Amino acid sequence: MFPFLAIFIIFCVVLGYYIKKGDTSQKEVMDNFFEKERLANGVRKKDISQLNYITIPLEKIPHPLHTDIEKEFFTFGEKNMVNFNGISNTDLKLQYGTANLNELTEYDINYMDMIALLPQYTQELLDANQIDTAQMLLEFAVNSKADSKIIYKQLASIYKEKNQLDKIDDLITASNALPELTKSMIQKELSTIN
């Protein structure tokens, strides 16, 4: 009975140590977050005119389809868009000031909405046999670091159909700039097409 009691006491001491260590580590993470947030809230408004604004090359779309999706897609030509994928609100405030956060969030949402609509529009273009226009828009999205698996898949399918398999390898390389989870999903999908 004594060895069991000794083992139990040692187990409790070790467990208590790791629980305390975990609590201390969690407290450090939270303290660092709140300190960074406190600093970010004190940053004055900065100039955002030099951001990497994303502009859709609408002038390169030769034959309008006159569909609802196309009309909605064209509205993004009038909106400011910036891809802030992977950048937290705290980091945006630190870099550009708290007063710009709402505007920057709107720019990011505009970009995400455009990227969400793009595959539907490019599918309409493909259905209308406007393959080059669809390809151009999909390449535009990849160049703007879109993290949409369907965009990469559509573009890879076009490359495969045109027997441009080396460009699929270029897509895999381009996906390396994306966040890890998205990158691995996209690369797995592309490896099945090549």
Side-chain angles (χ1 to χ4, degrees):
M1 181 98 170
F2 177 72
F4 174 73
L5 183 60
I7 292 171
F8 180 73
I9 291 171
I10 292 171
F11 172 76
C12 288
V13 169
V14 170
L15 181 63
Y17 168 77
Y18 282 109
I19 288 173
K20 184 172 176 150
K21 184 178 175 182
D23 288 346
T24 303
S25 176
Q26 181 66 25
K27 184 180 180 326
E28 266 183 47
V29 169
M30 293 303 288
D31 288 347
N32 289 340
F33 169 78
F34 286 120
E35 177 60 17
K36 187 175 179 181
E37 186 66 24
R38 185 189 66 73
L39 291 172
N41 286 333
V43 175
R44 295 175 149 269
K45 186 174 185 174
K46 296 183 181 175
D47 179 28
I48 59 172
S49 64
Q50 301 302 314
L51 287 172
N52 188 20
Y53 289 97
I54 296 166
T55 306
I56 303 170
L58 296 176
E59 70 282 354
K60 294 183 180 178
I61 301 174
H63 305 291
L65 302 174
H66 304 292
T67 64
D68 291 339
I69 290 174
E70 181 180 69
K71 289 174 190 168
E72 185 179 351
F73 184 77
F74 271 62
T75 65
F76 291 105
E78 304 164 5
K79 298 178 181 180
N80 286 324
M81 295 184 291
V82 179
N83 182 358
F84 288 122
N85 184 20
I87 302 173
S88 71
N89 284 348
T90 303
D91 290 332
L92 286 176
K93 289 189 290 186
L94 277 170
Q95 192 165 355
Y96 302 107
T98 303
N100 283 322
L101 184 61
N102 288 339
E103 196 171 353
L104 296 175
T105 301
E106 179 185 333
Y107 296 171
D108 190 42
I109 290 170
N110 289 343
Y111 176 75
M112 290 186 299
D113 289 347
M114 183 273 295
I115 290 300
L117 185 65
L118 181 63
Q120 296 172 57
Y121 180 48
T122 52
Q123 188 58 55
E124 285 186 348
L125 290 166
L126 292 170
D127 293 343
N129 205 31
Q130 293 189 33
I131 297 167
D132 290 340
T133 303
Q135 178 179 336
M136 180 265 305
L137 287 173
L138 292 167
E139 288 171 342
F140 152 78
V142 168
N143 289 334
S144 71
K145 295 182 177 44
D147 63 348
S148 168
K149 184 170 80 169
I150 192 165
I151 286 174
Y152 279 82
K153 185 177 177 182
Q154 279 184 327
L155 187 52
S157 295
I158 291 172
Y159 289 155
K160 184 176 182 179
E161 189 174 305
K162 289 183 168 186
N163 201 27
Q164 298 174 332
L165 299 179
D166 57 317
K167 289 190 175 186
I168 296 175
D169 293 333
D170 294 341
L171 284 179
I172 292 171
T173 301
S175 70
N176 284 327
L178 302 176
E180 188 59 41
L181 180 61
T182 308
K183 173 179 80 170
S184 61
M185 288 190 313
I186 288 172
Q187 288 179 349
K188 183 178 178 183
E189 185 73 38
L190 293 178
S191 66
T192 65
I193 294 174
N194 199 353

